[in-house]
Amino acid sequence: MKEIPRVVAEVFVRRMQVAGVSLIEQRQYLKWLRFYFDFCHKYNFSVEKEESLKAFVNKLTEKRQTPENQRQATRSVNVYFDILRQNDSQPPSVEEYVSAQEYSGLSWESVFAELKGAIRLRNYSQSTYRTYAGWIARFEGFLKGKMPDKIEMADVKAFLTDLAVNAKVSGSTQNQAFNALLFLFRHVLKRENEFDAKEGIVRAKQKKYIPVVLTREEVDIVIAKLRYPYNLIAKMLYGCGLRLFECLNLRMHCLNLDEQILTIHDGKGQKDRTVPLPEVLLKELKAHVAKVKSLYEEDLNQNYHGAFLPEGIEKKYPAAALEFAWQWLFPAKQLTSVPQTGEKRRYHLHETHVQKAIRGAVKRAALMKRVTAHTFRHTFASHLLQANVDIRTIQTMLGHSDVRTTMIYTNTVKSRTIKEQISPLDIGKIDL
């Protein structure tokens, strides 16, 4: 790993010491600065140019670093840039740090704390929080130390324009950043009336998206290449039109095997819906439930504290975590030890394990299509549409709020429009 120049490291540490940064945090900041130097050396970026920081943060995003880690890394590199600008040989005076600490305006720490509260208040998913916090952290780095209550619309426009022109992000990615900043102004800064970013922004053109769809034969081939329980998960994704997170968040009480109904709680947008369980899966599901129950009984003999539950449910029903009805349909293979309490709990299978299994199966199947877990959901909708199932029915099964979202699947099947002039009485004679 590329090392930080000794003189820079000394000044960097002195700055943190004067600022009263703890020894543990000093090590963390130095670690991120070393990572930055190593990144620049590896990918031929200049450590002295601020464009390198943008590329570094992009790499952290690709590596799925948490928003908190991205913020800490950004601040660490910004301190280094400040050292370069001032050509420091001595640390700043104590008075400079005191005046900085006496700043009474809104801090970025309070912004992220307020963001977490606003997300939780609206019952949005943890994934939404990570996405929004990641973009806001990136926006903070772009502002180069500017405090939250000093942000102007010009800063927002410059950031979004930079994403489109310099970062060359896709239209959907830029819209995601736009939504994160809109949430920041609306629910955190309470300045929604100022948010008018439609004028003066270079927007990345959003292309028409046509999803990848498998044939029924390709679905069967991929599933045949998967081991248990990943093959059953793939069957649920395709057979019920589930998103991956919806499938992995299923609990025992979501299954109604007698009525052949599956209930999806807290889907996208926190909406609930029901879909029919495929009859061909009933036998396999019953065998799977028996295996999960056997694992559950083994857990109970090992000082088990139950499945992880939403905080509100656990407060309302303290014993629910130990009930079989609240156990995961697809539990993780290992128990998780909670550091704060020492409890042994079980989580569901991690999304990355399923995604990795599907990638491996697709590779072994030698398909010429880019297949992900979500491809099974696209295929579910397309095959129903191909079977002449009503578009509104498909919309309900997918949990779409707007039928226009469902209409995208009309591009994935062959047109069955009859262009010849014909009487309706003769339609039955036509081979559709």
Side-chain angles (χ1 to χ4, degrees), residues 90-252:
Q90 297 294 329
S93 66
V94 176
E95 288 75 15
E96 288 179 294
Y97 278 106
V98 169
S99 63
Q101 291 171 353
E102 288 177 350
Y103 173 74
S104 58
L106 185 65
S107 68
W108 282 106
E109 285 79 4
S110 59
V111 163
F112 282 91
E114 182 70 23
L115 174 68
K116 183 173 287 188
I119 291 287
R120 182 174 295 181
L121 178 66
R122 287 157 183 82
N123 204 25
Y124 290 174
S125 68
Q126 187 64 22
S127 175
T128 301
Y129 167 71
R130 288 195 297 267
T131 300
Y132 282 10
W135 280 116
I136 294 172
R138 191 163 167 178
F139 181 51
E140 179 195 0
F142 178 82
L143 295 176
K144 302 174 185 176
K146 195 171 189 177
M147 300 310 290
D149 51 1
K150 303 295 183 182
I151 297 173
E152 300 172 352
M153 282 312 305
D155 299 317
V156 174
K157 294 176 181 179
F159 176 65
L160 294 175
T161 301
D162 180 73
L163 288 179
V165 176
N166 298 322
K168 293 181 171 56
V169 301
S170 66
S172 59
T173 300
Q174 192 181 6
N175 285 335
Q176 191 181 72
F178 179 91
N179 291 334
L181 296 184
L182 176 60
F183 190 91
L184 170 68
F185 270 73
R186 178 179 291 171
H187 301 299
V188 178
L189 302 179
K190 313 297 183 186
R191 293 164 54 187
E192 180 185 2
N193 58 330
E194 298 179 29
F195 198 90
D196 181 18
K198 293 182 180 179
E199 296 295 331
I201 297 178
V202 177
R203 304 298 298 272
K205 185 177 180 181
Q206 192 161 359
K207 300 177 181 178
K208 182 180 180 180
Y209 173 69
I210 299 178
V212 175
V213 173
L214 303 176
T215 64
R216 179 56 196 271
E217 291 74 22
E218 289 171 334
V219 170
D220 292 338
I221 290 171
V222 173
I223 291 176
K225 299 291 183 182
L226 289 166
R227 293 182 293 108
Y228 174 83
Y230 304 112
N231 56 353
L232 180 57
I233 291 174
K235 290 175 184 178
M236 294 287 286
L237 296 175
Y238 171 65
C240 301
L242 304 179
R243 301 175 178 93
L244 180 56
F245 85 89
E246 292 174 340
C247 184
L248 296 183
N249 276 282
L250 291 173
R251 299 182 189 263
M252 286 300 163

Side-chain angles (χ1 to χ4, degrees), residues 367-379:
L367 296 186
M368 296 176 63
K369 294 179 179 178
R370 188 173 59 87
V371 181
T372 67
H374 209 65
T375 304
F376 290 101
R377 176 174 160 90
H378 292 322
T379 305

